Amino acid sequence: MPRIVHGLADLANGYDVILCDVWGVLHDGAQYSEKAADALARFRTKGGKVALITNSPNPSRIVRAQLELLGVPANAYDAIVSSGDVTLSMLAERAGEAVFHLGPPAETALFDELLAVSGKPQRRASLEHADFVLCTGLVDPYGGKPSDYDPILGRMLAKRLDFICANPDIVVEIGGELSYCAGAIAERYAGMGGKVIEAGKPYAPIYDKAMRLISETNSGVAPDRSRVLAIGDAMHTDIKGARAQKFDSLLVASGLHREQLQAAKGAELARAVLRQFVDEAGFAPTAAIPELVW
């Protein structure tokens, strides 16, 4: 059983670094949580370091701008790393290859960032002439379902194209409604036998980058991994990824799984409900909290 806590203060003294999820913990896409931001800021005041770690397919520069627009105070974190940052590195490694972009047509931030950083545009092509595929999400992020993409996935499989997934999340909550993410399409392609390369949580590259950023903010000193706490609201990405990295983890019950955990209205996190939840998942976080507060 995970330990049930009612504030980050119950755990803070045991850690030097927090890797905190963004969507579902710090904000819900429409407004940010003042309590969550305050908790992270208080942890930093005590000498801790905070890296926001998100499966956003956008570069961290854009994630930072989005947080500023929502009003998230800058004193809540030291650094940001996104799956978009990791994806940029993957694109740079494939310089000269042609990519087919699967996602919202207007979602060009990765291509714009690559051009700004390298001075060279990513060569884009139709599926028939592509060397690999980059998926940033559904073409219509507010409609459709992953199975709609089976015909195009079949064509990709016939060409044995690598599939880079810029956002491994399966679903995200937007305004109280769940919408599919790139990870849902990646899951179907992998199920067909296609090769999927994941950029974000729960996979290692995004954690490696986050730890490097934290080291840079700490005079180059690498943090003790036993004193790193990963905070998130999704078992499939946040908690699974933390376990793979051997980090302790804190599940925020008011996010993605709030209906299962009966925390939608700030109710107490019932021990029996939590036990059933982690039994069904097959793994557990180190601790759980109704919502992120100090």
Side-chain angles (χ1 to χ4, degrees), residues 129-213:
H129 298 95
D131 298 308
F132 69 100
V133 174
L134 168 66
C135 182
T136 58
L138 276 65
V139 174
D140 178 0
Y142 302 103
K145 54 188 183 297
S147 59
D148 296 339
Y149 295 82
D150 284 354
I152 196 169
L153 295 180
R155 291 161 58 198
M156 289 161 46
L157 187 62
K159 289 174 59 65
R160 298 185 180 278
L161 296 180
D162 289 353
F163 182 109
I164 294 179
C165 178
N167 177 359
D169 284 350
I170 305 299
V171 295
V172 68
E173 184 179 4
I174 304 175
E177 300 292 332
L178 292 178
S179 297
Y180 288 107
C181 299
I185 302 178
E187 191 174 59
R188 295 191 73 84
Y189 190 54
M192 293 178 176
K195 181 181 177 181
V196 174
I197 303 169
E198 303 273 15
K201 298 174 290 184
Y203 303 96
I206 193 168
Y207 293 98
D208 294 341
K209 187 171 183 64
M211 293 296 277
R212 287 196 300 271
L213 288 176

Side-chain angles (χ1 to χ4, degrees), residues 7-22:
L8 183 58
D10 295 342
L11 300 172
N13 288 339
Y15 303 99
D16 302 319
V17 174
I18 284 176
L19 304 180
C20 187
D21 183 36
V22 176

Side-chain angles (χ1 to χ4, degrees), residues 23-173:
W23 202 307
V25 176
L26 192 54
H27 72 73
D28 63 3
Q31 59 184 6
Y32 84 95
S33 167
E34 293 186 14
K35 293 179 180 179
D38 174 68
L40 297 177
R42 286 173 182 262
F43 179 78
R44 292 185 68 236
T45 298
K46 291 170 62 67
K49 300 288 186 180
V50 175
L52 302 183
I53 179 169
T54 171
N55 273 354
S56 168
N58 288 314
S60 55
R61 175 180 59 82
I62 292 180
V63 174
R64 186 184 301 274
Q66 292 169 339
L67 294 178
E68 290 174 352
L69 189 62
L70 287 172
V72 177
N75 68 344
Y77 56 91
D78 295 278
I80 303 173
V81 60
S82 70
S83 56
D85 293 336
V86 179
T87 303
L88 278 171
S89 299
M90 294 177 176
L91 291 177
E93 291 172 357
R94 292 173 178 259
E97 295 183 38
V99 61
F100 172 72
H101 177 215
L102 180 59
E107 201 166 61
T108 62
L110 285 173
F111 301 123
D112 297 339
E113 190 78 0
L114 185 65
L115 176 60
V117 171
S118 69
K120 298 179 181 179
Q122 177 71 50
R123 187 157 62 94
R124 299 170 65 179
S126 64
L127 181 58
E128 288 68 30
H129 298 95
D131 298 308
F132 69 100
V133 174
L134 168 66
C135 182
T136 58
L138 276 65
V139 174
D140 178 0
Y142 302 103
K145 54 188 183 297
S147 59
D148 296 339
Y149 295 82
D150 284 354
I152 196 169
L153 295 180
R155 291 161 58 198
M156 289 161 46
L157 187 62
K159 289 174 59 65
R160 298 185 180 278
L161 296 180
D162 289 353
F163 182 109
I164 294 179
C165 178
N167 177 359
D169 284 350
I170 305 299
V171 295
V172 68
E173 184 179 4

